[in-house]
């Protein structure tokens, strides 16, 4: 029995940056994201009761056991939860136009959770699926849904999952993923989050979460592009300020990250509406409107001729391919 699911990755507009439980990936704050059409993962999960080992293929290449521990352990954990025990084969393909610095763990674990649940005929609601995906990677909980999504922090394993805010927004909002550095993350997000908690400003970051979530919900409800962009940029700046002020401080930024930030400031001064957000890496995502994306790309290319830029719009939630 083999089942294949497709999940799109997402970009957080109000970010998850701090855990209350590392094993369960319980967040200290709620987060809001936009699911993206340009980046997705297709994953097949096949039950292999007669096999004598677990097998993981990523982008058509067999991954040796020592390098696939995170994925294999995750599936064992799901199997234990449902009282299942048998060998399996996973075939996962990441569809990313270039490695534009968007984490694939969100789409990867969402697609894996969905294909697993389908292969075992588990009668999971989408909220339950979101909980299962969360156990693989926190941000994966949001990739179960399309459009605008909120991961409600909840209190425990049972009530921490994502819900859709608007799965088919009409809003003119697009994203340019600007890859200033293709190298893998220097500091895994789980490590960065832990270090960030040492910042004296961390309690303030947490305290603001409820207000920022409410403001973002309102901006989304009003199709308010500027409201969404301003808040997303402010929230990203807060997250990166926490990193800089941790003890010891650290940053994901590189010189080219700052160049893109400065260009966004400059474009706004010229009357071209755009905002940036940045995750646990040096790459920048620019939020803009359809009429401006070409001019922004041209200007980016002038400042940083070598950067790769990928254009994305709203993507859908989980779909099944067989
Ligand atoms: O899901 P993780 O463990 O890869 O953490 C994601 C962290 C951020 O991308 C920086 C923020 C977010 O909410 O996606």
């Amino acid at each position: 029995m083999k089942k294949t699911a497709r999940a799109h990755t997402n970009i957080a507009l109000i970010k998850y940056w701090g855990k209350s439980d590392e094993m369960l990936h319980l967040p200290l704050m709620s987060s809001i994201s936009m699911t993206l059409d340009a980046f997705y993962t297709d994953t097949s999960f096949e039950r292999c009761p007669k096999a004598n080992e677990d097998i993981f293929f990523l982008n058509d290449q067999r991954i040796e056991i020592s390098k696939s521990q995170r994925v294999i352990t995750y599936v064992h954990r799901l199997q234990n939860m449902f009282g299942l025990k048998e060998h399996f084969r996973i075939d996962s393909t990441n569809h990313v136009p270039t490695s534009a610095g968007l984490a694939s763990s969100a789409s990867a674990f969402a697609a894996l959770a969905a294909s697993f649940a389908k292969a075992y005929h588990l009668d999971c609601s989408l909220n339950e699926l979101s909980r299962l995906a969360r156990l693989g990677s926190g941000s994966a909980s949001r990739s179960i849904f399309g459009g605008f999504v909120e991961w409600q922090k909840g209190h425990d394993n049972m009530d921490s999952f994502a819900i859709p805010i608007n799965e088919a927004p009409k809003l003119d909002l697009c994203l340019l993923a600007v890859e200033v550095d293709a190298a893998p993350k220097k500091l895994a997000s789980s490590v960065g989050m832990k270090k960030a908690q040492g910042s004296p400003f961390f309690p303030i970051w947490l305290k603001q979460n409820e207000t920022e979530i409410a403001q973002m919900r309102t901006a989304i409800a009003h199709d308010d592009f500027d409201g969404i962009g301003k808040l997303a940029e402010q929230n990203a700046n807060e997250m990166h300020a926490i990193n800089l002020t941790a003890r010891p401080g650290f940053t994901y930024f590189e010189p080219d990250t700052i160049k893109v930030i400065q260009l966004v400031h400059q474009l706004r001064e010229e009357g071209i509406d755009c905002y940036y957000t940045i995750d646990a890496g040096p790459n920048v995502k620019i939020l803009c409107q359809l009429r401006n994306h070409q001019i922004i790309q041209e200007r980016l290319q002038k400042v940083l001729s070598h950067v790769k830029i990928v254009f994305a719009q709203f993507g859908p939630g989980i779909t099944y391919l067989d």
Side-chain angles (χ1 to χ4, degrees):
M1 171 70 70
K2 178 174 145 189
K3 288 290 167 193
T4 309
R6 172 173 294 177
H8 289 74
T9 197
N10 68 79
I11 177 77
L13 304 172
I14 298 293
K15 299 199 189 287
Y16 147 58
W17 198 243
K19 292 182 207 203
S20 62
D21 186 312
E22 285 184 41
M23 276 297 288
L24 295 171
H25 298 168
L26 292 179
L28 284 164
M29 66 286 291
S30 296
S31 52
I32 292 181
S33 61
M34 170 187 182
T35 304
L36 301 170
D37 60 355
F39 311 87
Y40 59 92
T41 302
D42 289 340
T43 298
S44 300
F45 184 91
E46 187 177 358
R47 297 167 55 179
C48 307
K50 297 209 172 90
N52 45 23
E53 60 178 343
D54 300 323
I55 295 174
F56 176 39
F57 274 78
L58 178 61
N59 300 328
D60 291 325
Q61 284 205 319
R62 172 119 191 223
I63 308 294
E64 58 182 272
I65 287 290
S66 64
K67 291 194 179 130
S68 53
Q69 274 315 311
R70 185 170 171 195
V71 167
I72 302 286
T73 308
Y74 171 68
V75 174
H76 288 165
R77 192 171 179 188
L78 296 190
Q79 286 182 322
N80 286 338
M81 281 169 65
F82 293 96
L84 307 160
K85 198 174 176 0
E86 64 188 358
H87 286 298
F88 52 84
R89 173 181 165 136
I90 297 167
D91 280 273
S92 202
T93 309
N94 281 327
H95 296 269
V96 181
T98 70
S99 60
L102 265 157
S104 55
S105 73
S107 54
F109 283 101
L112 181 52
S115 58
F116 172 90
K118 198 79 172 174
Y120 282 112
H121 304 292
L122 302 176
D123 198 13
C124 285
S125 68
L126 289 174
N127 292 343
E128 283 167 332
L129 213 49
S130 169
R131 282 180 45 226
L132 298 185
R134 189 200 76 227
L135 295 172
S137 167
S139 53
S141 65
R142 298 184 306 242
S143 275
I144 300 299
F145 300 101
F148 286 117
V149 184
E150 178 175 340
W151 173 15
Q152 303 187 314
K153 72 174 172 149
H155 306 91
D156 55 33
N157 187 31
M158 296 311 287
D159 67 358
S160 183
F161 51 75
I163 56 162
I165 298 179
N166 181 354
E167 289 223 78
K170 298 275 177 296
L171 180 66
D172 176 5
L173 169 63
C174 31
L175 177 135
L176 296 172
V178 186
E179 184 198 77
V180 302
D181 185 354
K185 273 184 210 173
K186 289 197 184 77
L187 198 64
S189 44
S190 52
V191 182
M193 282 184 210
K194 216 165 159 186
K195 284 174 170 262
Q197 295 200 28
S199 164
F201 303 108
F202 194 81
I204 303 171
W205 160 249
L206 271 189
K207 206 163 151 236
Q208 284 177 178
N209 176 249
E210 233 171 90
T211 311
E212 291 185 355
I213 288 280
Q215 288 170 338
M216 185 57 89
R217 277 199 215 123
T218 306
I220 290 171
H222 289 95
D223 281 339
D224 176 3
F225 169 78
D226 284 303
I228 292 169
K230 272 183 200 154
L231 260 168
E233 187 173 300
Q234 172 192 310
N235 182 269
N237 284 335
E238 288 162 0
M239 172 190 137
H240 291 279
I242 298 296
N243 296 344
L244 277 168
T245 50
R247 310 282 163 90
F250 64 100
T251 186
Y252 288 101
F253 289 10
E254 281 175 17
D256 284 350
T257 312
I258 305 285
K259 282 190 188 156
V260 180
I261 291 176
Q262 285 172 330
L263 177 66
V264 169
H265 290 164
Q266 171 74 34
L267 288 165
R268 279 211 296 266
E269 267 170 37
E270 294 172 21
I272 300 169
D273 252 3
C274 56
Y275 302 89
Y276 64 82
T277 182
I278 302 167
D279 278 341
N283 301 314
V284 185
K285 289 91 192 177
I286 298 179
L287 301 167
C288 64
Q289 290 167 305
L290 209 46
R291 63 176 176 278
N292 288 326
H293 85 91
Q294 260 154 352
I295 174 86
I296 298 173
Q297 291 202 44
E298 281 162 26
R299 294 287 295 275
L300 277 164
Q301 230 96 52
K302 266 192 202 156
V303 179
L304 296 165
S305 55
H306 58 281
V307 293
K308 286 185 201 144
I309 305 165
V310 180
F311 172 81
Q313 287 177 296
F314 288 108
I318 282 287
T319 50
Y320 295 94
L321 307 183
D322 53 24

